[in-house]
Amino acid sequence: MTDTSHVQTELDTIVEALEEGKRKKLRKLLRGMHPGKIASLLEALDVERRVVVWQHLREEDEAAVVRYLDPLVAAALQRDADDPDLAELDEEAAAAITDIRHVRESLEEGRYKRIVKLFKQMHPAKAAGLLESLPPDERSTVWEMLSSERAGKILVHLHEEVRASLAQEMDQDDLFAAVRKLDLDDLVDLIQALPAGPGREVMLSMDVATRQQVVSMLSYPEDSAGGLMNIDHLSVRADVRVGSVLRYLRLLEDLPDHTDKVMVVDRKNRYQGVLRLSRILTSDPEAKVEEVMDAEFQPLPVQMPSREVARRFEDLDMLSAAVVDEQGILLGRITVDDVLDIIREESRSTMMHMAGLDDEADMFAPVLKSTLRRSVWLGINLVTAFLAAWVIGQFQGTLEQIVALAVLMPIVASMGGIAGSQTLTLVIRGLALGQVEGGNARVLLGKEMGIGLLNGLLWAVVVAVLAYVWFGSWQIGGIIGAAILLNLLCAAFSGLAVPLVLRKFGIDPALAGSVILTTVTDVVGFFAFLGLATLLLL
Amino acid sequence: MTDTSHVQTELDTIVEALEEGKRKKLRKLLRGMHPGKIASLLEALDVERRVVVWQHLREEDEAAVVRYLDPLVAAALQRDADDPDLAELDEEAAAAITDIRHVRESLEEGRYKRIVKLFKQMHPAKAAGLLESLPPDERSTVWEMLSSERAGKILVHLHEEVRASLAQEMDQDDLFAAVRKLDLDDLVDLIQALPAGPGREVMLSMDVATRQQVVSMLSYPEDSAGGLMNIDHLSVRADVRVGSVLRYLRLLEDLPDHTDKVMVVDRKNRYQGVLRLSRILTSDPEAKVEEVMDAEFQPLPVQMPSREVARRFEDLDMLSAAVVDEQGILLGRITVDDVLDIIREESRSTMMHMAGLDDEADMFAPVLKSTLRRSVWLGINLVTAFLAAWVIGQFQGTLEQIVALAVLMPIVASMGGIAGSQTLTLVIRGLALGQVEGGNARVLLGKEMGIGLLNGLLWAVVVAVLAYVWFGSWQIGGIIGAAILLNLLCAAFSGLAVPLVLRKFGIDPALAGSVILTTVTDVVGFFAFLGLATLLLL
């Protein structure tokens, strides 16, 4: 009696939540309730509402609830919930569905089970990408519905900012559950991405052994070999026979992902070389490991920066490599899949930096947050813009007399800006590839100045003619031509010099390069044009 | 007697070449000569010249010549030629030496053997990078000295333009020799990069079998799975036992590079699944392949675009994947090392395109060639610049009366340009990642407009105050403030709209986006500012 009444009250709150469409509240209520209670509640509801409530039930709880449900009701609900067109989706097929609209529509229709199923069948990386392309509120709606295991897998693939925010949305138990499923290197990444508070919580939730490993790995900078490595590698002694390695592997039943080689060590666990699986397969079981191992294969020092690691993987076409400390002790291994991410981010972040953007930031970060981030860049640009304006200001007298100059002056500046940015981009890429340095800078300068000269002459003539046609004055034509030539030469020079100098001072050329460059080309452009005009026309 | 006189004359030409420092000619002569003749010639020369000639001798000829040489002379030459600091360089160590200056200096000193040794010990990819960072003439000097085998390996890693030019510099026999050493997929890449003429020559130089394979692979577009795949994969039948697979592999002695799995096919060579090496190692030899194979593992359709292939590899952390035709017949496999290049190029080329540059182009391409390439971009920009100028031109009357406007107007334009490029870059990356599409464009628009509004208000006030301080007119301050707000809003809108529209029309947003955007922000900026001023101040 009390029980039913109790259900009654909860029923009311649920119904209330339904009426007001408070889905979040509804899910909260359901999560708190005992499966049996949820079951009786479902039965108490009319079919339509029943389905809605069912849609909000987390998949982990489903089974439990069904156990208490009237079989007919349960059957009906499950029939409704599962999607014919999704039922037989395998991972690949799901990975192909990236139609964001499709997801958002299903969300609006409240067909949560459909979404969850989709995300469940998608590869974590794909799911992460899809999550990132959802607006925050919808993002967290989906997030709440995912099983903690899924959540853990997906967390790893999210960009830092999104990752941190979603991890904080989870209630601790779920977060801990999710974390327990992670590889050590992913776990470390996650903890580094989390704010201090939750990070500590997660640490404390782990068993001592794991925590110690994590702590030791946290001691390496995130963007170093140590930060990238995992410790799931297999190692064998150099003096054993291939046959016994084969038996050892067979005992393991399943090898760690991306195992293409086992590490060979001495009895002090010092790195000796690697033994490729293909060699194990093809060589005589009686042979000693040291006879068939690849001793030339160099390990990566634990403090090697990740950019360098990535380049090494690219250059040597490696699938995995050992990581060792200063004493040559084997610490772990890095696999190519971790490197893929670095390579992808590396050049993409260069592009973002050139626009003053942070590529770890959430595309849908709160407006205010993004505004402040970007305003910095606009502020810096404003200073340079006022500098250019100040230069113009020096020639107000001239402008008053010949207003045509005011009309034409932006042309000089913008041509310089474009030409400069071409050189700048070329050099920034060259620096990233290690193909531009003191050694060949002079040659490159010669070439760029040559291009600047030829393009300068070409466009000087074109603009001069156009200016004459427009304002009927050969003088103005000549002056703007000369100004453009000057500006393109200076653009070529600074397009090369600016990034090299910034690099010298340890500043990322991609970040500051373009602002400084446009400042130079604006100032020089306006000064040359208006200066020449003042000299020659007044 | 005739012989010596003959040597005599050749000696003269050689000496002549030495005197005039005609190294190229010298190398040509040496290549034509019989080893014995070269030997007697070396002995005939004084020590100093002898060393110089020796430096120009190609390494493949060295051994032959030494056979004819007086042992003492030979010893002396070799002692001199080899570098203590390079002698014990292993590949890794050499890979670390990228000091372009170091290479160019040794070139000037004519220490060719040193260079050749360095390039020989470097990984081909690294060597390619180093070659690309040398000026053309020095580049071809090094190139001539390399053994054809090395050359072949390096060719593969060069950017298209450099690759084609160097391949053309080689004389046919060397080119053919180089080509013979290449993997099929690399061979196909090379032929596609070569101009029609040499390309055909190379084709004809191959044996019929290879040629047919190449032809069949050329039938797939370069940027498709077919263009990426190699045919060195191993395949086994589903109905055999693991034990016999093991025996089969052992017979091969060495497996193809990056073999992490063998493909499983039926008797019609239709793809059935994959059998991972790790599974082979860990599963019972008596088991049937079909019992332990991974049948879920999806093959790549041969016509899948390479971008898509790369994404698939990233998302599913694959090391290699099978390529099949429409009937599911196994054609070949793609390995992760080929994918690395795609991923790296993909975003890097986006960056280059945003500056109107071609990322396959040679950094040291002839000045005239580069000038013409870039002038296109400048030309397009000029049109837009004149458009902006024309807008200003409409307000000459206003400018004549209030010259302050001319001073301030560039600020409005440049602030809009920066804000717009931030949104543009964000969207271009989003499109590349498949995270921006119709489905969430509206949400993103809302967010960007929000940012535009806030930053607009912020900087409108700042600029207004500064303008007042400068020109002591609240009217001008208010007008420029309003103009900036307008321009930032329009920048946010077009920063999102422009790339989406371009994409719709199949135009690369990275290529055309920035020009169109700056046009919009310039035009709107000038129009808003000068228009408002005309309305309110006159």
Side-chain angles (χ1 to χ4, degrees):
Chain A
M1 191 55 203
T2 46
D3 183 45
T4 38
S5 72
H6 181 55
V7 173
Q8 204 50 46
T9 59
E10 281 203 313
L11 185 53
D12 297 339
T13 45
I14 296 274
V15 173
E16 202 180 291
L18 278 172
E19 306 283 293
E20 301 160 4
K22 287 188 180 161
R23 291 175 158 156
K24 201 151 188 161
K25 185 180 174 194
L26 177 55
R27 279 193 293 277
K28 268 220 146 16
L29 289 167
L30 289 172
R31 288 169 90 160
M33 285 168 74
H34 177 280
K37 213 168 274 170
I38 298 177
S40 51
L41 186 153
L42 281 167
E43 288 164 6
L45 285 167
D46 60 80
V47 181
E48 189 191 321
R49 284 170 169 170
R50 186 183 291 158
V51 175
V52 179
V53 173
W54 178 256
Q55 285 285 351
H56 287 74
L57 198 60
R58 289 194 308 173
E59 52 175 345
E60 301 128 284
D61 311 338
E62 242 177 70
V65 174
V66 168
R67 238 180 286 109
Y68 293 87
L69 260 183
D70 165 350
L72 292 173
V73 180
L77 281 172
Q78 280 161 322
R79 199 179 327 105
D80 171 281
D82 73 67
D83 263 297
D85 58 322
L86 268 172
E88 70 298 321
L89 262 186
D90 62 20
E91 185 175 275
E92 300 289 322
I97 298 188
T98 55
D99 185 10
I100 300 164
R101 180 180 281 111
H102 161 95
V103 174
R104 299 192 58 219
E105 278 166 0
S106 325
L107 271 173
E108 276 160 24
E109 299 159 10
R111 301 179 87 347
Y112 294 102
K113 291 254 178 294
R114 180 201 185 89
I115 306 293
V116 172
K117 186 170 267 155
L118 181 63
F119 273 83
K120 205 167 129 200
Q121 285 157 324
M122 245 186 271
H123 182 278
K126 203 99 209 162
L130 194 45
L131 268 177
E132 286 180 342
S133 48
L134 292 176
D137 51 343
E138 299 176 8
R139 193 187 283 159
S140 41
T141 312
V142 174
W143 191 246
E144 280 172 0
M145 308 289 298
L146 297 176
S147 71
S148 54
E149 180 173 4
R150 262 282 121 180
K153 292 219 186 81
I154 295 177
L155 268 179
V156 179
H157 294 276
L158 291 165
H159 278 98
E160 274 181 19
E161 191 170 315
V162 181
R163 186 195 292 164
S165 69
L166 286 184
Q168 279 167 289
E169 279 183 18
M170 303 170 83
D171 48 351
Q172 281 203 349
D173 318 353
D174 289 2
L175 181 55
F176 296 164
V179 161
R180 235 166 269 118
K181 309 285 197 313
L182 295 182
D183 287 349
L184 199 59
D185 60 340
D186 297 332
L187 184 52
V188 173
D189 290 351
L190 179 57
I191 290 175
Q192 280 165 324
L194 286 176
R200 201 179 309 104
E201 298 299 333
V202 172
M203 290 284 280
L204 297 176
S205 77
M206 299 180 292
D207 56 275
V208 185
T210 331
R211 199 184 314 157
Q212 283 169 339
Q213 291 175 320
V214 171
V215 171
S216 72
M217 285 181 68
L218 278 170
S219 66
Y220 306 113
E222 193 177 358
D223 58 354
S224 74
L228 288 169
M229 74 179 176
N230 207 339
I231 56 171
D232 59 358
H233 57 278
L234 304 171
S235 59
V236 297
R237 292 269 296 280
D239 50 11
V240 300
R241 299 198 180 284
V242 173
S244 29
V245 175
L246 270 167
R247 282 190 295 282
Y248 164 59
L249 294 180
R250 187 153 297 142
L251 288 178
L252 296 175
E253 275 167 6
D254 195 14
L255 307 187
D257 293 350
H258 301 104
T259 299
D260 66 313
K261 51 177 80 87
V262 298
M263 309 305 170
V264 184
V265 294
D266 65 10
R267 66 171 54 73
K268 289 209 178 69
N269 195 33
R270 276 192 304 253
Y271 176 89
Q272 301 294 304
V274 296
L275 178 57
R276 295 196 164 72
L277 293 193
S278 50
R279 284 315 284 287
I280 300 180
L281 283 167
T282 55
S283 52
D284 166 20
E286 284 314 295
K288 280 263 181 65
V289 166
E290 53 207 352
E291 294 161 10
V292 295
M293 75 178 188
D294 176 355
E296 266 64 70
F297 195 86
Q298 296 293 315
L300 306 170
V302 69
Q303 66 283 69
M304 177 184 257
S306 47
R307 265 170 172 261
E308 190 44 40
V309 172
R311 195 139 301 130
R312 188 76 73 90
F313 265 79
E314 284 186 281
D315 290 348
L316 306 185
D317 288 348
M318 302 189 294
L319 296 184
S320 68
V323 178
V324 297
D325 66 11
E326 295 70 12
Q327 288 72 40
I329 303 291
L330 178 63
L331 297 176
R333 64 161 192 163
I334 297 176
T335 49
V336 70
D337 54 309
D338 305 317
V339 174
L340 277 176
D341 306 342
I342 305 173
I343 294 172
R344 182 173 60 173
E345 292 313 325
E346 196 183 302
S347 31
R348 202 158 270 151
S349 62
T350 312
M351 190 180 101
M352 297 290 273
H353 287 159
M354 287 180 85
L357 298 168
D358 167 8
D359 70 320
E360 279 297 330
D362 175 3
M363 186 168 72
F364 286 107
V367 172
L368 193 60
K369 200 169 174 185
S370 316
T371 304
L372 291 177
R373 275 208 197 104
R374 299 203 199 165
S375 61
V376 177
W377 200 238
L378 286 161
I380 296 170
N381 176 69
L382 185 64
V383 177
T384 74
F386 263 99
L387 196 61
W390 176 80
V391 173
I392 302 171
Q394 302 313 300
F395 300 97
Q396 289 188 53
T398 316
L399 287 168
E400 266 164 3
Q401 295 175 49
I402 313 159
V403 75
L405 300 176
V407 177
L408 293 173
M409 65 186 184
I411 296 175
V412 182
S414 89
M415 290 298 272
I418 294 287
S421 74
Q422 290 186 320
T423 308
L424 180 72
T425 309
L426 189 79
V427 173
I428 285 177
R429 188 190 66 156
L431 286 169
L433 292 175
Q435 290 188 352
V436 174
E437 51 170 68
N440 57 358
R442 190 171 285 102
V443 191
L444 198 56
L445 179 61
K447 183 207 160 206
E448 290 298 321
M449 293 300 279
I451 299 174
L453 180 65
L454 290 183
N455 261 324
L457 290 168
L458 171 63
W459 297 111
V461 172
V462 174
V463 174
V465 171
L466 291 171
Y468 168 73
V469 172
W470 191 349
F471 294 98
S473 148
W474 273 122
Q475 289 172 300
I476 292 183
I479 289 169
I480 196 170
I484 282 183
L485 176 55
L486 272 172
N487 206 16
L488 258 61
L489 283 172
C490 132
F493 176 79
S494 38
L496 179 64
V498 167
L500 286 177
V501 172
L502 287 174
R503 172 76 146 229
K504 267 236 171 7
F505 290 113
I507 306 167
D508 174 5
L511 192 51
S514 50
V515 181
I516 300 180
L517 181 81
T518 44
T519 314
V520 175
T521 50
D522 283 358
V523 168
V524 172
F526 291 132
F527 186 80
F529 182 48
L530 298 176
L532 283 172
T534 313
L535 281 177
L536 304 176
L537 298 184
L538 301 187
Chain B
M1 192 55 205
T2 44
D3 181 47
T4 38
S5 71
H6 180 54
V7 172
Q8 203 51 46
T9 58
E10 281 203 311
L11 185 53
D12 297 339
T13 44
I14 295 275
V15 173
E16 201 180 294
L18 278 174
E19 305 286 297
E20 301 159 5
K22 287 188 179 159
R23 292 175 158 155
K24 201 151 189 162
K25 186 181 173 194
L26 177 54
R27 281 192 293 274
K28 269 219 147 9
L29 289 167
L30 288 172
R31 288 167 90 160
M33 285 168 73
H34 177 279
K37 212 167 275 171
I38 298 178
S40 51
L41 185 151
L42 281 167
E43 289 163 7
L45 285 168
D46 61 79
V47 183
E48 189 191 320
R49 285 171 168 169
R50 185 183 291 158
V51 175
V52 179
V53 174
W54 177 259
Q55 284 286 350
H56 286 73
L57 198 59
R58 287 195 307 174
E59 52 175 345
E60 40 251 269
D61 310 338
E62 237 176 76
V65 174
V66 168
R67 239 181 287 110
Y68 293 88
L69 260 183
D70 166 349
L72 291 173
V73 180
L77 282 174
Q78 280 160 324
R79 197 178 329 105
D80 171 280
D82 72 54
D83 263 299
D85 56 324
L86 269 172
E88 71 297 322
L89 263 186
D90 62 19
E91 188 176 271
E92 301 289 324
I97 297 188
T98 53
D99 184 9
I100 300 165
R101 179 180 282 110
H102 160 97
V103 173
R104 301 191 58 219
E105 278 166 0
S106 326
L107 270 173
E108 276 160 25
E109 298 159 11
R111 302 179 81 355
Y112 294 100
K113 292 253 176 297
R114 179 201 185 93
I115 305 293
V116 172
K117 186 172 265 152
L118 180 62
F119 272 82
K120 205 167 127 201
Q121 285 156 324
M122 247 186 262
H123 183 278
K126 201 99 208 162
L130 193 45
L131 267 177
E132 286 181 342
S133 47
L134 292 176
D137 50 343
E138 298 176 8
R139 194 186 282 160
S140 40
T141 310
V142 175
W143 190 245
E144 280 173 0
M145 307 292 296
L146 297 176
S147 72
S148 54
E149 179 173 3
R150 262 281 119 178
K153 292 218 186 82
I154 295 177
L155 268 179
V156 179
H157 295 276
L158 290 166
H159 278 97
E160 273 180 19
E161 191 171 317
V162 182
R163 185 195 291 166
S165 69
L166 286 183
Q168 279 167 289
E169 278 183 17
M170 303 171 82
D171 49 349
Q172 281 204 350
D173 317 352
D174 290 1
L175 181 54
F176 296 163
V179 162
R180 233 164 271 120
K181 308 285 197 311
L182 295 183
D183 286 350
L184 200 60
D185 59 341
D186 296 331
L187 184 52
V188 173
D189 290 351
L190 179 57
I191 290 174
Q192 280 166 323
L194 286 177
R200 199 179 312 104
E201 298 301 333
V202 172
M203 290 284 279
L204 297 176
S205 76
M206 300 180 292
D207 57 276
V208 185
T210 332
R211 199 184 313 158
Q212 283 169 339
Q213 291 174 320
V214 171
V215 171
S216 71
M217 286 180 67
L218 278 170
S219 66
Y220 307 112
E222 194 177 358
D223 58 354
S224 72
L228 288 169
M229 73 179 177
N230 206 340
I231 57 172
D232 58 358
H233 58 278
L234 304 171
S235 59
V236 297
R237 291 270 296 280
D239 51 11
V240 299
R241 300 196 178 284
V242 173
S244 28
V245 175
L246 269 167
R247 281 189 297 280
Y248 164 58
L249 293 179
R250 187 153 297 144
L251 288 180
L252 296 174
E253 276 166 5
D254 195 14
L255 306 187
D257 293 351
H258 302 102
T259 299
D260 66 314
K261 49 177 81 86
V262 298
M263 309 305 169
V264 183
V265 294
D266 65 9
R267 65 172 53 73
K268 289 210 177 65
N269 195 34
R270 278 190 303 252
Y271 175 88
Q272 301 295 304
V274 297
L275 178 57
R276 295 195 165 73
L277 293 193
S278 50
R279 286 314 288 286
I280 301 179
L281 284 167
T282 55
S283 52
D284 165 23
E286 285 313 298
K288 281 260 179 67
V289 165
E290 53 207 354
E291 297 161 10
V292 295
M293 76 178 187
D294 176 354
E296 267 61 69
F297 194 85
Q298 296 292 313
L300 306 170
V302 68
Q303 66 282 66
M304 178 184 257
S306 46
R307 265 171 173 263
E308 186 49 40
V309 172
R311 197 140 301 130
R312 188 74 75 88
F313 265 79
E314 284 184 281
D315 290 349
L316 306 184
D317 288 349
M318 303 190 291
L319 296 183
S320 68
V323 178
V324 298
D325 67 10
E326 295 71 12
Q327 287 70 41
I329 304 290
L330 178 63
L331 296 177
R333 64 162 191 161
I334 296 177
T335 48
V336 70
D337 54 311
D338 304 316
V339 174
L340 276 176
D341 306 342
I342 304 172
I343 295 173
R344 187 214 244 180
E345 290 313 324
E346 199 182 301
S347 30
R348 201 157 271 150
S349 63
T350 311
M351 188 180 103
M352 296 291 273
H353 288 159
M354 287 180 86
L357 298 167
D358 167 9
D359 70 318
E360 279 298 329
D362 174 3
M363 185 168 74
F364 286 106
V367 172
L368 193 60
K369 199 169 176 186
S370 317
T371 304
L372 291 176
R373 277 209 197 103
R374 298 201 200 167
S375 62
V376 177
W377 200 240
L378 286 161
I380 297 171
N381 176 69
L382 185 63
V383 178
T384 75
F386 263 98
L387 197 61
W390 175 82
V391 173
I392 302 171
Q394 302 313 301
F395 300 98
Q396 288 189 52
T398 316
L399 287 169
E400 265 163 2
Q401 297 174 49
I402 314 159
V403 74
L405 299 178
V407 177
L408 293 172
M409 66 187 184
I411 296 174
V412 183
S414 89
M415 290 298 273
I418 294 288
S421 74
Q422 290 185 321
T423 308
L424 180 72
T425 308
L426 189 79
V427 173
I428 286 177
R429 187 190 67 155
L431 286 170
L433 292 173
Q435 291 187 351
V436 174
E437 51 171 68
N440 58 356
R442 191 172 284 100
V443 192
L444 198 55
L445 180 62
K447 182 207 159 204
E448 290 298 320
M449 292 301 277
I451 298 174
L453 180 65
L454 291 182
N455 261 325
L457 291 170
L458 170 62
W459 296 111
V461 173
V462 173
V463 175
V465 171
L466 291 171
Y468 168 73
V469 173
W470 191 350
F471 295 99
S473 149
W474 273 121
Q475 289 172 301
I476 292 183
I479 289 169
I480 195 171
I484 282 183
L485 176 54
L486 271 172
N487 206 17
L488 257 61
L489 283 171
C490 132
F493 176 79
S494 37
L496 180 64
V498 166
L500 285 176
V501 171
L502 287 173
R503 174 78 146 224
K504 269 235 174 354
F505 291 113
I507 306 168
D508 174 5
L511 191 52
S514 50
V515 181
I516 300 181
L517 182 82
T518 44
T519 315
V520 175
T521 49
D522 282 359
V523 169
V524 172
F526 292 132
F527 187 80
F529 182 49
L530 297 176
L532 284 171
T534 312
L535 283 176
L536 304 175
L537 299 183
L538 301 186

